[in-house]
Amino acid sequence: MELRDIDFLIIGATKSATTWLQQSLQLDPRVYMPDPEIHYFSRYHDRGDPWYLENFNPASPGLVIGEKSNSYLDTPAAAERIHRSLPDVRLVAQLRNPVERAYSDYCMLHRRGEVTADIDRYLDPRHGAGGRFLEGGLYFQQLRRFLDLFPADRILVLFYEDIRSDAAGQVRDLRRFLTLEENPAFEPVAQRVKDKTKPLVDARLRRLLKPLKPIVAPFRQTKGFEALRSVISDEFKYVPLTRELSARMVGYYETETERLGNLLGRDLGQWLQSVPAVNKRPAT
């Protein structure tokens, strides 16, 4: 396996159903993608090409080979690194309303205990500009880095919002871009929405119990384990995204969204409408 054998990369954005894209492609036996996100061109580039290639183990020659690492889109150095190593690769970006994307990303890390309940600290542009959550939705800047290096016909931009209206068409467009043969009988994988209201062990307690994970792993599917888990778990309560905070985020993304729409020739005006207040569940 050599670098030139890699045909495509799904580069992001985070929390935009790129895993669904990956799983739909993996239904085709002619496609090979490793399951874990490798993040080579973003987080682990110092490990070198041999380490990167060790992550690929296609079962046979002649497959269409790719990988998905959502960090590539919003990591400034990734575009140049990818172009240097894979100048002919095809790139796939799937984008989502940046306000909903930021809130979903925040809720994921809040549930994990990696950020606090002080939502304004992370999502209010007056405080959180420059941080992971708001920067992740600056798609015009992110795509420009790739378009400055790759021909436009090597980059496919898809939208999370189109999955609801035509999931099969979304995957057909992706398959066509990857030069995969048409398959009228093909059905994409059902979109999975994670249950974000499932009772969860408190983050502090999870950290204390972490050393015991290898010991209890064989018992995870037993009734006894589930009974114990129910005793120490509670429904996770998400911090709501208010109309006021949503409106400030829309203002933050307004110019960026208009530039993106002009770049792609798509009306993205719906992104510039405040997201209704969310009180119980985050955007999925």
Side-chain angles (χ1 to χ4, degrees):
M1 172 96 184
E2 300 179 13
L3 283 171
R4 64 185 180 185
D5 296 323
I6 298 174
D7 300 294
F8 71 95
L9 302 176
I10 297 178
I11 60 177
T14 301
K15 305 303 292 181
S16 298
T18 54
T19 298
W20 174 81
L21 285 180
Q22 176 185 22
Q23 292 173 345
S24 294
L25 285 174
Q26 288 174 323
L27 293 175
D28 191 327
R30 295 165 296 179
V31 175
Y32 171 79
M33 299 181 71
D35 281 320
E37 294 191 57
I38 304 172
H39 301 294
Y40 173 57
F41 296 105
S42 50
R43 303 172 187 170
Y44 306 120
H45 198 249
D46 59 334
R47 297 184 180 183
D49 292 348
W51 174 86
Y52 180 52
L53 293 173
E54 287 175 1
N55 290 275
F56 296 86
N57 296 289
S60 60
L63 300 180
V64 176
I65 298 175
E67 60 118 332
K68 175 184 79 76
S69 294
N70 285 339
S71 57
Y72 293 165
L73 184 61
D74 62 8
T75 299
E80 174 60 37
R81 290 169 177 171
I82 293 170
H83 184 260
R84 189 163 56 244
S85 297
L86 305 170
D88 299 318
V89 75
R90 296 177 188 270
L91 303 167
V92 180
Q94 182 151 275
L95 310 181
R96 178 182 185 178
N97 181 316
V99 174
E100 293 184 357
R101 191 219 67 81
Y103 181 59
S104 181
D105 197 23
Y106 164 76
C107 287
M108 178 181 70
L109 293 195
H110 185 208
R111 183 178 172 89
R112 292 178 182 174
E114 297 179 26
V115 298
T116 71
D118 184 3
I119 191 171
D120 285 354
R121 172 184 172 188
Y122 303 100
L123 299 188
D124 190 326
R126 298 173 299 181
H127 312 297
R132 160 179 172 153
F133 303 110
L134 292 177
E135 292 295 296
L138 298 177
Y139 306 133
F140 173 79
Q141 298 177 32
Q142 294 164 8
L143 286 173
R144 277 261 49 114
R145 291 194 289 262
F146 287 91
L147 285 167
D148 286 344
L149 296 169
F150 292 89
D153 63 1
R154 307 299 289 188
I155 303 176
L156 175 67
V157 179
L158 301 171
F159 290 87
Y160 174 93
E161 290 80 6
D162 292 339
I163 297 174
R164 295 191 177 115
S165 59
D166 187 10
Q170 186 94 320
V171 177
R172 279 197 302 272
D173 289 345
L174 174 58
R175 289 173 57 84
R176 190 176 300 117
F177 175 70
L178 299 180
T179 68
L180 290 166
E181 295 177 6
E182 292 288 339
N183 182 355
F186 177 80
E187 291 289 338
V189 68
Q191 187 182 6
R192 296 189 303 173
V193 177
K194 296 179 181 178
D195 183 3
K196 295 178 173 60
T197 62
K198 182 178 179 180
L200 184 72
V201 178
D202 180 78
R204 289 167 295 182
L205 183 56
R206 291 204 308 273
R207 286 193 288 270
L208 290 174
L209 297 176
K210 188 175 181 180
L212 300 178
K213 288 182 68 174
I215 299 174
V216 302
F219 307 100
R220 290 184 66 87
Q221 304 304 319
T222 64
K223 291 183 179 179
F225 180 88
E226 288 301 318
L228 176 60
R229 190 179 189 281
S230 67
V231 172
I232 61 176
S233 300
D234 195 8
E235 181 177 338
F236 190 82
K237 295 178 174 60
Y238 293 95
V239 182
L241 175 63
T242 64
R243 291 184 182 275
E244 293 75 16
L245 178 55
S246 171
R248 285 195 289 272
M249 294 171 71
V250 166
Y252 177 77
Y253 288 120
E254 183 174 5
T255 300
E256 184 81 1
T257 296
E258 290 174 350
R259 289 176 176 172
L260 179 69
N262 291 333
L263 177 69
L264 302 178
R266 173 159 172 152
D267 181 6
L268 298 174
Q270 74 276 11
W271 283 4
L272 299 178
Q273 301 172 11
S274 295
V275 177
V278 178
N279 294 308
K280 293 183 179 180
R281 299 188 183 190
T284 55

